[in-house]
Amino acid sequence: MTIETQIFLTHKSRVQGLRTRAGIVSLLARPESNPKLAKGLKLGVMSAPLHLAPADLSGYEVCAKRTQGCTQACLHTAGNPAHMEGKTRARIARTKLYFEDRAFFMSVLISEIAALESKAQRASMICGVRLNATSDIPFERVKIKHSGKTYSNIMELFPDVRFWDYTKRPNRRNLPANYHLTFSLAEDNETDALQALKNSINVAAVFRTKRGHALPKAFMNRPVIDGDLHDYRPLDQSGVIVGLRAKGKAIYDQSGFVRSG
């Protein structure tokens, strides 16, 4: 039996179990399902996000450093409103599974990442995974067991996969080499954002800039790059502000989370 066949059979078995336990099809979204992540395909990156229910929507807190502004403007609200009910139900189911049966959750996640990595390799592409698309969990601290071995985190198990996230948690240090973080600016964490820049961690800022219009050239005395061109942040040069245009409910933000530039 080839490795590809083993991956397929394991993945199929885990997906069936996921449907039975949580009533959902998968943990990771398809690489082409998110327009911004799909742009990475043109860069040679096949990536998939994990969407959990943000804040404490599921009854479990997944964004420990969230602010009022980012909670109200969360990207969970972006997208087609007609799909909101089903999207929210699936994200709540995933989040509850993570907290209530983590061993099974991680086993499914491992099989899905393995399948994605195999697919990316066949296409001669980089495999990327964003674990906190709508959450802020320090996955580098989540130990996992696989094939009789204990790993410090899922990044250690997949050294050739590039993981990346945005975070509002300050002082996340000793990260795996294949895990890239961008700090997220909110309405009240500029001190942490400045420290992140000093620590060579880029800062993402949301601007009140309409689609098709240019973002500010500079912010916080740093050059601004257009973060909407793609979402594969490991490609970004160091020492910049990753500019993002307000989307979803963020368009109407009055808290200071969304900046004028």
Side-chain angles (χ1 to χ4, degrees):
M1 182 183 297
T2 65
I3 294 176
E4 287 77 11
T5 301
Q6 290 177 339
I7 290 173
F8 173 77
L9 292 177
T10 301
H11 180 57
K12 183 178 180 181
S13 174
R14 295 277 160 72
V15 166
Q16 289 174 340
L18 188 64
R19 285 175 172 166
T20 300
R21 294 195 190 189
I24 51 179
V25 175
S26 65
L27 295 180
L28 296 177
R30 299 187 310 278
E32 67 278 7
S33 65
N34 182 297
K36 197 170 171 184
L37 286 174
K39 294 176 182 178
L41 294 171
K42 297 181 180 179
L43 301 174
V45 181
M46 184 180 293
S47 56
L50 170 64
H51 286 283
L52 299 181
D56 57 358
L57 186 62
S58 67
Y60 295 100
E61 181 61 70
V62 299
C63 306
K65 291 294 182 179
R66 63 187 171 97
T67 64
Q68 181 179 356
C70 77
T71 301
Q72 293 176 344
C74 182
L75 279 177
H76 174 70
T77 64
N80 191 332
H83 300 153
M84 181 60 68
E85 183 178 349
K87 179 172 71 175
T88 299
R89 184 167 55 248
R91 292 178 181 181
I92 288 175
R94 292 188 195 104
T95 309
K96 287 186 174 181
L97 188 64
Y98 173 78
F99 284 98
E100 296 171 6
D101 193 349
R102 189 163 303 176
F104 178 70
F105 179 100
M106 297 306 292
S107 72
V108 174
L109 185 59
I110 288 169
S111 75
E112 291 193 11
I113 293 176
L116 180 68
E117 183 179 28
S118 179
K119 183 178 180 180
Q121 288 173 345
R122 291 196 300 272
S124 299
M125 301 179 78
I126 295 170
C127 179
V129 175
R130 185 176 164 195
L131 295 174
N132 284 302
T134 43
S135 56
D136 195 1
I137 295 172
F139 278 98
E140 71 274 13
R141 303 177 193 170
V142 180
K143 294 183 179 180
I144 59 172
K145 291 184 178 181
H146 180 67
S147 299
K149 289 185 61 177
T150 298
Y151 295 84
S152 298
N153 45 60
I154 200 163
M155 299 85 181
E156 183 182 1
L157 180 59
F158 292 100
D160 296 326
V161 174
R162 294 304 306 270
F163 296 83
W164 80 98
D165 277 320
Y166 297 88
T167 184
K168 286 186 177 65
R169 291 174 174 263
N171 301 319
R172 288 175 70 177
R173 303 186 186 280
N174 302 317
L175 296 172
N178 57 333
Y179 190 23
H180 181 279
L181 288 182
T182 301
F183 189 82
S184 290
L185 180 67
E187 70 270 24
D188 63 357
N189 65 354
E190 286 195 15
T191 299
D192 290 333
L194 289 170
Q195 188 59 50
L197 288 169
K198 289 181 181 179
N199 293 336
S200 300
I201 297 175
N202 291 341
V203 170
V206 182
F207 292 99
R208 203 176 304 281
T209 301
K210 294 181 180 179
R211 183 182 300 179
H213 290 246
L215 291 159
K217 292 184 178 180
F219 186 72
M220 297 178 72
N221 295 317
R222 301 289 181 120
V224 175
I225 65 170
D226 192 336
D228 286 331
L229 295 178
H230 63 83
D231 199 47
Y232 188 57
R233 300 276 68 89
L235 283 181
D236 298 341
Q237 65 266 39
S238 182
V240 301
I241 301 297
V242 180
L244 303 168
R245 293 168 182 80
K247 304 170 187 67
K249 290 184 179 180
I251 295 172
Y252 311 103
D253 174 76
Q254 298 297 323
S255 71
F257 172 75
V258 177
R259 306 299 174 113
S260 298

